[in-house]
Amino acid sequence: MSKIVFLDVDGTLIDYEAKLPASAAKAVDQARANGHKVYICTGCSKAEILQRNLCDLDGMIGGNGAYVEDNGHVVMHQGLSKEDVKNIVDWCNERHIGFYLEANSGMYCNDYMLEQGPETMVKYAKGKGASLENAKSSAQHFIDGFIHLQGDELYRDDVNKISFILRTYQDHLDSKVDFPHLVANTWGGKGEVALFGDLGPTGITKRHAIEVLLDYLHADAKDTISFGDAKIDLSMFECCAYNVAMGNGGFEIKEAADYITDDVNEDGLYNAFKYLKLI
């Protein structure tokens, strides 16, 4: 029986230095050759994914569920309103917070992101086990991917979600109060050690996007398998029949998993695909 596999990207399909292990690419290629469908299910926008050197896939879910694509066909795209984008941009700028707009057309950042982003991304990569040298290289690659805009150029109508640097955890708590109609998350660490907050449209989750895609494919959830490494991936686990946590993942995702892999850098994905008889 063919399966539909959903893979988180950072820390799952690729490592925290944005490198795709050869064994992971081999696993995906072999699984697809065996008749299984493989999609990425990520917080990244399509623009971010196009900057990564990934293997061939059947499609993607991006923006934590705001965007669904199957073999080049856009199944769903639901982003922030231009008014919401303007309000969040102004809110961040008033606080002197670096942020970037995640759109399928590109990643657009403010002045503060260029100043604050490199140090924050080094912390992120080091927290995931990268050496200082590799963390600096990874951070610079990330920052180089931004399109720098100023003023009302940032008031865009094509934004999936907005990520912003947390000066303290209070910024995240304030975003929940100031934008109660939106979904507020954090990433880059657990709880008060998180490095980023983000804001996206309500009702948008990885679970909802998977359900939309399955309906489009006329497929059954009983044939689905999900792979993730973070709390944001728990919504995938809520709707998929079998769930795999990466060995480098957090406590919550491991507690919810049916199976835990070796670390992604140690052929973890490949070994899991073999265990599940996908290859």
Side-chain angles (χ1 to χ4, degrees):
M1 176 69 70
S2 62
K3 301 293 183 181
I4 304 175
V5 182
F6 297 98
L7 302 174
D8 173 54
V9 176
D10 295 306
T12 301
L13 179 58
I14 63 177
D15 63 26
Y16 293 114
E17 296 172 28
K19 296 175 182 176
L20 174 67
S23 62
K26 182 179 179 180
V28 172
D29 290 344
Q30 289 186 357
R32 296 181 72 234
N34 288 343
H36 306 293
K37 291 182 179 292
V38 182
Y39 297 83
I40 52 172
C41 190
T42 175
C44 298
S45 67
K46 186 169 184 179
E48 290 176 89
I49 292 303
L50 292 176
Q51 293 179 4
R52 291 158 163 81
N53 185 25
L54 301 185
C55 47
D56 290 335
L57 298 152
D58 290 287
M60 69 171 287
I61 290 170
N64 284 333
Y67 179 77
V68 181
E69 180 183 296
D70 173 63
N71 288 300
H73 172 72
V74 178
V75 178
M76 181 187 78
H77 188 193
Q78 182 177 333
L80 293 165
S81 70
K82 188 173 183 178
E83 180 181 5
D84 281 331
V85 172
K86 179 182 184 301
N87 290 336
I88 298 168
V89 165
D90 291 345
W91 183 87
C92 289
N93 280 332
E94 287 168 5
R95 291 170 175 245
H96 305 289
I97 291 175
F99 68 83
Y100 63 98
L101 315 178
E102 301 181 39
N104 290 337
S105 57
M107 298 187 295
Y108 305 94
C109 77
N110 67 343
D111 295 341
Y112 297 119
M113 188 66 194
L114 296 180
E115 299 169 9
Q116 303 162 8
E119 180 182 356
T120 305
M121 291 309 299
V122 166
K123 289 180 181 177
Y124 172 72
K126 286 184 66 179
K128 299 299 184 180
S131 67
L132 178 59
E133 181 182 358
N134 287 338
K136 287 182 177 179
S137 175
S138 175
Q140 191 58 54
H141 177 74
F142 184 71
I143 298 300
D144 288 344
F146 291 137
I147 299 168
H148 178 216
L149 299 179
Q150 295 178 310
D152 59 10
E153 292 178 323
L154 288 159
Y155 301 156
R156 299 182 62 88
D157 61 3
D158 62 347
V159 177
N160 296 331
K161 66 185 178 76
I162 299 176
S163 285
F164 57 92
I165 293 173
L166 297 176
R167 300 168 304 172
T168 71
Y169 194 68
Q170 189 61 45
D171 288 327
H172 164 62
L173 298 179
D174 290 347
S175 76
K176 295 178 70 173
V177 173
D178 294 339
F179 302 100
H181 61 296
L182 301 179
V183 175
N185 291 303
T186 62
W187 61 275
K190 183 178 180 181
E192 295 190 15
V193 300
L195 298 174
F196 285 89
D198 67 40
L199 289 162
T202 187
I204 294 300
T205 64
K206 290 187 176 186
R207 172 178 180 166
H208 173 68
I210 288 173
E211 290 171 344
V212 167
L213 179 59
L214 292 178
D215 184 63
Y216 171 78
L217 296 173
H218 304 292
D220 198 310
K222 68 179 177 60
D223 298 319
T224 58
I225 302 171
S226 72
F227 286 71
D229 76 314
K231 185 176 180 178
I232 194 69
D233 300 318
L234 290 173
S235 67
M236 288 197 296
F237 283 23
E238 293 171 1
C239 65
C240 290
Y242 195 89
N243 301 297
V244 179
M246 304 305 292
N248 49 270
F251 173 78
E252 289 174 288
I253 198 77
K254 289 178 179 177
E255 280 289 293
D258 298 300
Y259 179 81
I260 302 173
T261 76
D262 300 325
D263 187 272
V264 66
N265 299 318
E266 299 174 354
D267 299 334
L269 197 74
Y270 184 84
N271 292 336
F273 271 46
K274 285 187 68 175
Y275 174 80
L276 294 169
K277 296 181 171 58
L278 297 170
I279 57 178

